[in-house]
PDB file of all heavy atoms in Angstrom:
ATOM      1  N   SER A 300      12.219 -23.882  -2.987  1.00  0.00           N
ATOM      2  CA  SER A 300      12.023 -24.076  -1.520  1.00  0.00           C
ATOM      3  C   SER A 300      10.547 -24.289  -1.244  1.00  0.00           C
ATOM      4  O   SER A 300      10.201 -24.891  -0.223  1.00  0.00           O
ATOM      5  CB  SER A 300      12.480 -22.888  -0.757  1.00  0.00           C
ATOM      6  OG  SER A 300      11.676 -21.751  -0.921  1.00  0.00           O
ATOM      7  N   LEU A 301       9.642 -23.885  -2.202  1.00  0.00           N
ATOM      8  CA  LEU A 301       8.244 -24.097  -2.065  1.00  0.00           C
ATOM      9  C   LEU A 301       7.836 -25.562  -2.028  1.00  0.00           C
ATOM     10  O   LEU A 301       6.724 -25.815  -1.474  1.00  0.00           O
ATOM     11  CB  LEU A 301       7.414 -23.176  -2.996  1.00  0.00           C
ATOM     12  CG  LEU A 301       7.713 -21.641  -2.994  1.00  0.00           C
ATOM     13  CD1 LEU A 301       7.041 -21.015  -4.210  1.00  0.00           C
ATOM     14  CD2 LEU A 301       7.054 -21.106  -1.730  1.00  0.00           C
ATOM     15  N   PHE A 302       8.577 -26.362  -2.673  1.00  0.00           N
ATOM     16  CA  PHE A 302       8.305 -27.722  -2.646  1.00  0.00           C
ATOM     17  C   PHE A 302       8.645 -28.407  -1.346  1.00  0.00           C
ATOM     18  O   PHE A 302       8.092 -29.469  -0.970  1.00  0.00           O
ATOM     19  CB  PHE A 302       9.036 -28.474  -3.857  1.00  0.00           C
ATOM     20  CG  PHE A 302       8.472 -28.051  -5.182  1.00  0.00           C
ATOM     21  CD1 PHE A 302       9.002 -26.927  -5.774  1.00  0.00           C
ATOM     22  CD2 PHE A 302       7.504 -28.745  -5.729  1.00  0.00           C
ATOM     23  CE1 PHE A 302       8.441 -26.518  -7.094  1.00  0.00           C
ATOM     24  CE2 PHE A 302       6.995 -28.429  -7.000  1.00  0.00           C
ATOM     25  CZ  PHE A 302       7.452 -27.265  -7.644  1.00  0.00           C
ATOM     26  N   ASN A 303       9.580 -27.858  -0.594  1.00  0.00           N
ATOM     27  CA  ASN A 303       9.824 -28.302   0.763  1.00  0.00           C
ATOM     28  C   ASN A 303       8.766 -27.782   1.727  1.00  0.00           C
ATOM     29  O   ASN A 303       8.315 -28.551   2.620  1.00  0.00           O
ATOM     30  CB  ASN A 303      11.090 -27.735   1.260  1.00  0.00           C
ATOM     31  CG  ASN A 303      12.330 -28.490   0.616  1.00  0.00           C
ATOM     32  OD1 ASN A 303      12.199 -29.623   0.303  1.00  0.00           O
ATOM     33  ND2 ASN A 303      13.360 -27.765   0.284  1.00  0.00           N
ATOM     34  N   PHE A 304       8.196 -26.539   1.528  1.00  0.00           N
ATOM     35  CA  PHE A 304       7.106 -26.005   2.293  1.00  0.00           C
ATOM     36  C   PHE A 304       6.576 -24.922   1.480  1.00  0.00           C
ATOM     37  O   PHE A 304       7.078 -23.961   1.123  1.00  0.00           O
ATOM     38  CB  PHE A 304       7.673 -25.437   3.523  1.00  0.00           C
ATOM     39  CG  PHE A 304       6.578 -24.934   4.509  1.00  0.00           C
ATOM     40  CD1 PHE A 304       5.664 -25.814   5.086  1.00  0.00           C
ATOM     41  CD2 PHE A 304       6.381 -23.558   4.716  1.00  0.00           C
ATOM     42  CE1 PHE A 304       4.664 -25.369   5.916  1.00  0.00           C
ATOM     43  CE2 PHE A 304       5.431 -23.097   5.514  1.00  0.00           C
ATOM     44  CZ  PHE A 304       4.565 -23.945   6.106  1.00  0.00           C
ATOM     45  N   PRO A 305       5.217 -25.163   1.066  1.00  0.00           N
ATOM     46  CA  PRO A 305       4.612 -24.342  -0.019  1.00  0.00           C
ATOM     47  C   PRO A 305       4.060 -22.969   0.580  1.00  0.00           C
ATOM     48  O   PRO A 305       3.020 -22.443   0.011  1.00  0.00           O
ATOM     49  CB  PRO A 305       3.477 -25.229  -0.508  1.00  0.00           C
ATOM     50  CG  PRO A 305       3.121 -26.064   0.664  1.00  0.00           C
ATOM     51  CD  PRO A 305       4.354 -26.333   1.441  1.00  0.00           C
ATOM     52  N   ALA A 306       4.709 -22.349   1.476  1.00  0.00           N
ATOM     53  CA  ALA A 306       4.386 -21.085   1.985  1.00  0.00           C
ATOM     54  C   ALA A 306       5.615 -20.353   2.457  1.00  0.00           C
ATOM     55  O   ALA A 306       6.612 -20.989   2.764  1.00  0.00           O
ATOM     56  CB  ALA A 306       3.386 -21.158   3.149  1.00  0.00           C
ATOM     57  N   ILE A 307       5.618 -19.025   2.254  1.00  0.00           N
ATOM     58  CA  ILE A 307       6.845 -18.245   2.658  1.00  0.00           C
ATOM     59  C   ILE A 307       6.421 -16.863   3.111  1.00  0.00           C
ATOM     60  O   ILE A 307       5.391 -16.293   2.582  1.00  0.00           O
ATOM     61  CB  ILE A 307       7.810 -18.209   1.417  1.00  0.00           C
ATOM     62  CG1 ILE A 307       9.151 -17.833   1.807  1.00  0.00           C
ATOM     63  CG2 ILE A 307       7.236 -17.387   0.313  1.00  0.00           C
ATOM     64  CD1 ILE A 307      10.230 -18.060   0.793  1.00  0.00           C
ATOM     65  N   ARG A 308       7.129 -16.317   4.011  1.00  0.00           N
ATOM     66  CA  ARG A 308       6.992 -14.961   4.454  1.00  0.00           C
ATOM     67  C   ARG A 308       8.100 -14.109   3.780  1.00  0.00           C
ATOM     68  O   ARG A 308       9.251 -14.522   3.658  1.00  0.00           O
ATOM     69  CB  ARG A 308       6.983 -14.835   6.031  1.00  0.00           C
ATOM     70  CG  ARG A 308       5.906 -15.532   6.645  1.00  0.00           C
ATOM     71  CD  ARG A 308       5.995 -15.536   8.184  1.00  0.00           C
ATOM     72  NE  ARG A 308       7.132 -16.279   8.620  1.00  0.00           N
ATOM     73  CZ  ARG A 308       7.539 -16.596   9.824  1.00  0.00           C
ATOM     74  NH1 ARG A 308       6.713 -16.180  10.834  1.00  0.00           N
ATOM     75  NH2 ARG A 308       8.579 -17.235  10.118  1.00  0.00           N
ATOM     76  N   VAL A 309       7.742 -12.835   3.660  1.00  0.00           N
ATOM     77  CA  VAL A 309       8.728 -11.887   3.120  1.00  0.00           C
ATOM     78  C   VAL A 309       9.932 -11.791   4.189  1.00  0.00           C
ATOM     79  O   VAL A 309      11.186 -11.822   3.708  1.00  0.00           O
ATOM     80  CB  VAL A 309       8.153 -10.504   2.952  1.00  0.00           C
ATOM     81  CG1 VAL A 309       9.244  -9.456   2.476  1.00  0.00           C
ATOM     82  CG2 VAL A 309       7.039 -10.551   1.877  1.00  0.00           C
ATOM     83  N   THR A 310       9.652 -11.888   5.383  1.00  0.00           N
ATOM     84  CA  THR A 310      10.754 -11.809   6.376  1.00  0.00           C
ATOM     85  C   THR A 310      11.611 -13.012   6.349  1.00  0.00           C
ATOM     86  O   THR A 310      12.757 -12.988   6.710  1.00  0.00           O
ATOM     87  CB  THR A 310      10.222 -11.598   7.764  1.00  0.00           C
ATOM     88  OG1 THR A 310       9.157 -12.709   8.022  1.00  0.00           O
ATOM     89  CG2 THR A 310       9.562 -10.310   8.016  1.00  0.00           C
ATOM     90  N   ASP A 311      11.020 -14.261   5.929  1.00  0.00           N
ATOM     91  CA  ASP A 311      11.893 -15.414   5.693  1.00  0.00           C
ATOM     92  C   ASP A 311      13.004 -15.166   4.612  1.00  0.00           C
ATOM     93  O   ASP A 311      14.051 -15.560   4.887  1.00  0.00           O
ATOM     94  CB  ASP A 311      11.010 -16.611   5.337  1.00  0.00           C
ATOM     95  CG  ASP A 311      10.031 -16.990   6.353  1.00  0.00           C
ATOM     96  OD1 ASP A 311      10.296 -16.808   7.589  1.00  0.00           O
ATOM     97  OD2 ASP A 311       8.928 -17.550   6.028  1.00  0.00           O
ATOM     98  N   ILE A 312      12.574 -14.524   3.534  1.00  0.00           N
ATOM     99  CA  ILE A 312      13.434 -14.206   2.481  1.00  0.00           C
ATOM    100  C   ILE A 312      14.612 -13.341   2.934  1.00  0.00           C
ATOM    101  O   ILE A 312      15.691 -13.468   2.676  1.00  0.00           O
ATOM    102  CB  ILE A 312      12.725 -13.720   1.242  1.00  0.00           C
ATOM    103  CG1 ILE A 312      11.764 -14.757   0.677  1.00  0.00           C
ATOM    104  CG2 ILE A 312      13.662 -13.389   0.080  1.00  0.00           C
ATOM    105  CD1 ILE A 312      10.847 -14.310  -0.369  1.00  0.00           C
ATOM    106  N   VAL A 313      14.146 -12.259   3.766  1.00  0.00           N
ATOM    107  CA  VAL A 313      15.131 -11.326   4.285  1.00  0.00           C
ATOM    108  C   VAL A 313      16.214 -12.056   5.094  1.00  0.00           C
ATOM    109  O   VAL A 313      17.365 -11.918   4.854  1.00  0.00           O
ATOM    110  CB  VAL A 313      14.448 -10.306   5.212  1.00  0.00           C
ATOM    111  CG1 VAL A 313      15.497  -9.476   5.893  1.00  0.00           C
ATOM    112  CG2 VAL A 313      13.504  -9.376   4.353  1.00  0.00           C
ATOM    113  N   GLY A 314      15.819 -12.980   5.943  1.00  0.00           N
ATOM    114  CA  GLY A 314      16.736 -13.678   6.803  1.00  0.00           C
ATOM    115  C   GLY A 314      17.553 -14.729   6.063  1.00  0.00           C
ATOM    116  O   GLY A 314      18.724 -14.908   6.164  1.00  0.00           O
ATOM    117  N   ASP A 315      16.958 -15.542   5.155  1.00  0.00           N
ATOM    118  CA  ASP A 315      17.501 -16.659   4.424  1.00  0.00           C
ATOM    119  C   ASP A 315      18.574 -16.096   3.382  1.00  0.00           C
ATOM    120  O   ASP A 315      19.586 -16.811   3.137  1.00  0.00           O
ATOM    121  CB  ASP A 315      16.531 -17.536   3.771  1.00  0.00           C
ATOM    122  CG  ASP A 315      15.637 -18.310   4.779  1.00  0.00           C
ATOM    123  OD1 ASP A 315      16.109 -18.369   5.989  1.00  0.00           O
ATOM    124  OD2 ASP A 315      14.638 -18.825   4.362  1.00  0.00           O
ATOM    125  N   TYR A 316      18.239 -15.033   2.798  1.00  0.00           N
ATOM    126  CA  TYR A 316      19.125 -14.541   1.619  1.00  0.00           C
ATOM    127  C   TYR A 316      19.842 -13.319   1.849  1.00  0.00           C
ATOM    128  O   TYR A 316      20.562 -12.717   1.039  1.00  0.00           O
ATOM    129  CB  TYR A 316      18.185 -14.394   0.415  1.00  0.00           C
ATOM    130  CG  TYR A 316      17.657 -15.610  -0.076  1.00  0.00           C
ATOM    131  CD1 TYR A 316      16.319 -16.029   0.378  1.00  0.00           C
ATOM    132  CD2 TYR A 316      18.354 -16.496  -0.958  1.00  0.00           C
ATOM    133  CE1 TYR A 316      15.818 -17.217  -0.091  1.00  0.00           C
ATOM    134  CE2 TYR A 316      17.719 -17.721  -1.347  1.00  0.00           C
ATOM    135  CZ  TYR A 316      16.447 -18.097  -0.973  1.00  0.00           C
ATOM    136  OH  TYR A 316      16.066 -19.191  -1.298  1.00  0.00           O
ATOM    137  N   GLU A 317      19.776 -12.781   3.269  1.00  0.00           N
ATOM    138  CA  GLU A 317      20.434 -11.620   3.647  1.00  0.00           C
ATOM    139  C   GLU A 317      20.244 -10.436   2.678  1.00  0.00           C
ATOM    140  O   GLU A 317      21.180  -9.849   2.178  1.00  0.00           O
ATOM    141  CB  GLU A 317      21.930 -11.910   3.852  1.00  0.00           C
ATOM    142  CG  GLU A 317      22.163 -12.976   4.899  1.00  0.00           C
ATOM    143  CD  GLU A 317      23.628 -13.333   5.001  1.00  0.00           C
ATOM    144  OE1 GLU A 317      24.505 -12.885   4.259  1.00  0.00           O
ATOM    145  OE2 GLU A 317      23.963 -13.940   6.077  1.00  0.00           O
ATOM    146  N   VAL A 318      18.996 -10.179   2.382  1.00  0.00           N
ATOM    147  CA  VAL A 318      18.633  -9.031   1.594  1.00  0.00           C
ATOM    148  C   VAL A 318      17.769  -8.024   2.358  1.00  0.00           C
ATOM    149  O   VAL A 318      17.134  -8.397   3.474  1.00  0.00           O
ATOM    150  CB  VAL A 318      17.933  -9.503   0.278  1.00  0.00           C
ATOM    151  CG1 VAL A 318      18.837 -10.376  -0.549  1.00  0.00           C
ATOM    152  CG2 VAL A 318      16.615 -10.203   0.619  1.00  0.00           C
ATOM    153  N   SER A 319      17.525  -6.928   1.853  1.00  0.00           N
ATOM    154  CA  SER A 319      16.647  -5.956   2.564  1.00  0.00           C
ATOM    155  C   SER A 319      15.211  -6.249   2.381  1.00  0.00           C
ATOM    156  O   SER A 319      14.857  -7.069   1.418  1.00  0.00           O
ATOM    157  CB  SER A 319      16.912  -4.509   1.896  1.00  0.00           C
ATOM    158  OG  SER A 319      16.439  -4.491   0.540  1.00  0.00           O
ATOM    159  N   PHE A 320      14.306  -5.797   3.122  1.00  0.00           N
ATOM    160  CA  PHE A 320      12.927  -6.066   3.022  1.00  0.00           C
ATOM    161  C   PHE A 320      12.380  -5.661   1.666  1.00  0.00           C
ATOM    162  O   PHE A 320      11.587  -6.415   1.026  1.00  0.00           O
ATOM    163  CB  PHE A 320      12.154  -5.334   4.128  1.00  0.00           C
ATOM    164  CG  PHE A 320      10.712  -5.759   4.235  1.00  0.00           C
ATOM    165  CD1 PHE A 320      10.269  -6.743   5.050  1.00  0.00           C
ATOM    166  CD2 PHE A 320       9.746  -5.081   3.495  1.00  0.00           C
ATOM    167  CE1 PHE A 320       8.951  -7.106   5.100  1.00  0.00           C
ATOM    168  CE2 PHE A 320       8.427  -5.388   3.532  1.00  0.00           C
ATOM    169  CZ  PHE A 320       7.949  -6.474   4.377  1.00  0.00           C
ATOM    170  N   PRO A 321      12.725  -4.408   1.200  1.00  0.00           N
ATOM    171  CA  PRO A 321      12.179  -4.044  -0.197  1.00  0.00           C
ATOM    172  C   PRO A 321      12.653  -5.037  -1.322  1.00  0.00           C
ATOM    173  O   PRO A 321      11.927  -5.333  -2.139  1.00  0.00           O
ATOM    174  CB  PRO A 321      12.789  -2.672  -0.428  1.00  0.00           C
ATOM    175  CG  PRO A 321      13.009  -2.092   0.884  1.00  0.00           C
ATOM    176  CD  PRO A 321      13.395  -3.255   1.795  1.00  0.00           C
ATOM    177  N   THR A 322      13.857  -5.625  -1.261  1.00  0.00           N
ATOM    178  CA  THR A 322      14.341  -6.518  -2.175  1.00  0.00           C
ATOM    179  C   THR A 322      13.566  -7.840  -1.970  1.00  0.00           C
ATOM    180  O   THR A 322      13.123  -8.409  -3.099  1.00  0.00           O
ATOM    181  CB  THR A 322      15.861  -6.820  -1.983  1.00  0.00           C
ATOM    182  OG1 THR A 322      16.638  -5.548  -2.202  1.00  0.00           O
ATOM    183  CG2 THR A 322      16.335  -7.786  -3.101  1.00  0.00           C
ATOM    184  N   ALA A 323      13.390  -8.294  -0.848  1.00  0.00           N
ATOM    185  CA  ALA A 323      12.613  -9.554  -0.638  1.00  0.00           C
ATOM    186  C   ALA A 323      11.219  -9.324  -1.123  1.00  0.00           C
ATOM    187  O   ALA A 323      10.608 -10.316  -1.753  1.00  0.00           O
ATOM    188  CB  ALA A 323      12.587  -9.859   0.839  1.00  0.00           C
ATOM    189  N   ARG A 324      10.542  -8.210  -0.883  1.00  0.00           N
ATOM    190  CA  ARG A 324       9.218  -7.989  -1.327  1.00  0.00           C
ATOM    191  C   ARG A 324       9.217  -7.963  -2.929  1.00  0.00           C
ATOM    192  O   ARG A 324       8.293  -8.339  -3.489  1.00  0.00           O
ATOM    193  CB  ARG A 324       8.655  -6.616  -0.806  1.00  0.00           C
ATOM    194  CG  ARG A 324       7.138  -6.353  -1.198  1.00  0.00           C
ATOM    195  CD  ARG A 324       6.290  -7.416  -0.728  1.00  0.00           C
ATOM    196  NE  ARG A 324       5.061  -7.504  -1.497  1.00  0.00           N
ATOM    197  CZ  ARG A 324       3.917  -6.967  -0.903  1.00  0.00           C
ATOM    198  NH1 ARG A 324       3.939  -6.389   0.232  1.00  0.00           N
ATOM    199  NH2 ARG A 324       2.827  -7.049  -1.615  1.00  0.00           N
ATOM    200  N   LYS A 325      10.259  -7.465  -3.468  1.00  0.00           N
ATOM    201  CA  LYS A 325      10.328  -7.458  -4.887  1.00  0.00           C
ATOM    202  C   LYS A 325      10.351  -8.789  -5.512  1.00  0.00           C
ATOM    203  O   LYS A 325       9.663  -9.182  -6.602  1.00  0.00           O
ATOM    204  CB  LYS A 325      11.563  -6.617  -5.404  1.00  0.00           C
ATOM    205  CG  LYS A 325      11.671  -6.524  -6.929  1.00  0.00           C
ATOM    206  CD  LYS A 325      13.011  -5.988  -7.393  1.00  0.00           C
ATOM    207  CE  LYS A 325      14.151  -6.983  -7.131  1.00  0.00           C
ATOM    208  NZ  LYS A 325      15.456  -6.589  -7.776  1.00  0.00           N
ATOM    209  N   TYR A 326      11.072  -9.684  -4.819  1.00  0.00           N
ATOM    210  CA  TYR A 326      11.184 -11.082  -5.303  1.00  0.00           C
ATOM    211  C   TYR A 326       9.787 -11.720  -5.227  1.00  0.00           C
ATOM    212  O   TYR A 326       9.393 -12.487  -6.095  1.00  0.00           O
ATOM    213  CB  TYR A 326      12.116 -11.989  -4.435  1.00  0.00           C
ATOM    214  CG  TYR A 326      13.585 -11.622  -4.672  1.00  0.00           C
ATOM    215  CD1 TYR A 326      14.394 -11.797  -3.592  1.00  0.00           C
ATOM    216  CD2 TYR A 326      14.031 -11.134  -5.816  1.00  0.00           C
ATOM    217  CE1 TYR A 326      15.836 -11.520  -3.751  1.00  0.00           C
ATOM    218  CE2 TYR A 326      15.443 -10.908  -5.923  1.00  0.00           C
ATOM    219  CZ  TYR A 326      16.314 -11.074  -4.912  1.00  0.00           C
ATOM    220  OH  TYR A 326      17.617 -10.735  -5.031  1.00  0.00           O
ATOM    221  N   VAL A 327       9.103 -11.503  -4.115  1.00  0.00           N
ATOM    222  CA  VAL A 327       7.783 -12.075  -3.929  1.00  0.00           C
ATOM    223  C   VAL A 327       6.750 -11.492  -5.058  1.00  0.00           C
ATOM    224  O   VAL A 327       6.016 -12.263  -5.640  1.00  0.00           O
ATOM    225  CB  VAL A 327       7.239 -11.787  -2.556  1.00  0.00           C
ATOM    226  CG1 VAL A 327       5.741 -12.078  -2.502  1.00  0.00           C
ATOM    227  CG2 VAL A 327       7.980 -12.636  -1.515  1.00  0.00           C
ATOM    228  N   ASP A 328       6.745 -10.210  -5.241  1.00  0.00           N
ATOM    229  CA  ASP A 328       6.018  -9.597  -6.228  1.00  0.00           C
ATOM    230  C   ASP A 328       6.224 -10.179  -7.617  1.00  0.00           C
ATOM    231  O   ASP A 328       5.253 -10.395  -8.368  1.00  0.00           O
ATOM    232  CB  ASP A 328       6.196  -8.083  -6.263  1.00  0.00           C
ATOM    233  CG  ASP A 328       5.642  -7.360  -5.077  1.00  0.00           C
ATOM    234  OD1 ASP A 328       4.781  -8.035  -4.382  1.00  0.00           O
ATOM    235  OD2 ASP A 328       5.958  -6.217  -4.821  1.00  0.00           O
ATOM    236  N   GLN A 329       7.439 -10.489  -7.916  1.00  0.00           N
ATOM    237  CA  GLN A 329       7.811 -11.069  -9.274  1.00  0.00           C
ATOM    238  C   GLN A 329       7.207 -12.538  -9.321  1.00  0.00           C
ATOM    239  O   GLN A 329       6.655 -12.940 -10.434  1.00  0.00           O
ATOM    240  CB  GLN A 329       9.240 -11.233  -9.378  1.00  0.00           C
ATOM    241  CG  GLN A 329       9.884  -9.906  -9.701  1.00  0.00           C
ATOM    242  CD  GLN A 329      11.471  -9.939  -9.777  1.00  0.00           C
ATOM    243  OE1 GLN A 329      12.109 -10.553  -8.894  1.00  0.00           O
ATOM    244  NE2 GLN A 329      12.026  -9.281 -10.794  1.00  0.00           N
ATOM    245  N   LEU A 330       7.204 -13.299  -8.188  1.00  0.00           N
ATOM    246  CA  LEU A 330       6.671 -14.648  -8.223  1.00  0.00           C
ATOM    247  C   LEU A 330       5.115 -14.596  -8.272  1.00  0.00           C
ATOM    248  O   LEU A 330       4.414 -15.442  -8.790  1.00  0.00           O
ATOM    249  CB  LEU A 330       7.146 -15.374  -7.038  1.00  0.00           C
ATOM    250  CG  LEU A 330       8.628 -15.697  -7.012  1.00  0.00           C
ATOM    251  CD1 LEU A 330       9.151 -16.316  -5.717  1.00  0.00           C
ATOM    252  CD2 LEU A 330       9.108 -16.610  -8.168  1.00  0.00           C
ATOM    253  N   VAL A 331       4.594 -13.596  -7.698  1.00  0.00           N
ATOM    254  CA  VAL A 331       3.133 -13.440  -7.751  1.00  0.00           C
ATOM    255  C   VAL A 331       2.683 -13.034  -9.147  1.00  0.00           C
ATOM    256  O   VAL A 331       1.692 -13.624  -9.771  1.00  0.00           O
ATOM    257  CB  VAL A 331       2.620 -12.276  -6.792  1.00  0.00           C
ATOM    258  CG1 VAL A 331       1.164 -11.945  -7.070  1.00  0.00           C
ATOM    259  CG2 VAL A 331       2.776 -12.699  -5.333  1.00  0.00           C
ATOM    260  N   ALA A 332       3.461 -12.282  -9.850  1.00  0.00           N
ATOM    261  CA  ALA A 332       3.196 -11.866 -11.223  1.00  0.00           C
ATOM    262  C   ALA A 332       3.113 -12.948 -12.158  1.00  0.00           C
ATOM    263  O   ALA A 332       2.374 -12.900 -13.166  1.00  0.00           O
ATOM    264  CB  ALA A 332       4.208 -10.697 -11.671  1.00  0.00           C
ATOM    265  N   VAL A 333       3.912 -13.975 -11.939  1.00  0.00           N
ATOM    266  CA  VAL A 333       3.994 -15.186 -12.859  1.00  0.00           C
ATOM    267  C   VAL A 333       3.104 -16.307 -12.390  1.00  0.00           C
ATOM    268  O   VAL A 333       3.235 -17.470 -12.862  1.00  0.00           O
ATOM    269  CB  VAL A 333       5.434 -15.648 -13.121  1.00  0.00           C
ATOM    270  CG1 VAL A 333       6.162 -14.540 -13.894  1.00  0.00           C
ATOM    271  CG2 VAL A 333       6.127 -15.963 -11.873  1.00  0.00           C
ATOM    272  N   GLY A 334       2.300 -16.124 -11.340  1.00  0.00           N
ATOM    273  CA  GLY A 334       1.344 -17.090 -10.814  1.00  0.00           C
ATOM    274  C   GLY A 334       1.942 -18.125  -9.942  1.00  0.00           C
ATOM    275  O   GLY A 334       1.205 -19.162  -9.679  1.00  0.00           O
ATOM    276  N   ILE A 335       3.145 -17.944  -9.432  1.00  0.00           N
ATOM    277  CA  ILE A 335       3.761 -18.921  -8.581  1.00  0.00           C
ATOM    278  C   ILE A 335       3.226 -18.751  -7.125  1.00  0.00           C
ATOM    279  O   ILE A 335       2.975 -19.849  -6.420  1.00  0.00           O
ATOM    280  CB  ILE A 335       5.340 -18.844  -8.635  1.00  0.00           C
ATOM    281  CG1 ILE A 335       5.689 -19.415  -9.986  1.00  0.00           C
ATOM    282  CG2 ILE A 335       5.917 -19.781  -7.514  1.00  0.00           C
ATOM    283  CD1 ILE A 335       7.244 -19.267 -10.207  1.00  0.00           C
TER     284      ILE A 335
END
């Protein structure tokens, strides 16, 4: 999705994927860890 729009908020992931805020933040932290 970053190629469609190269920025994202944690709350966007919560809404788009119907996950909790901690889970969404975990996804973001994983992508930060690998330099994405």
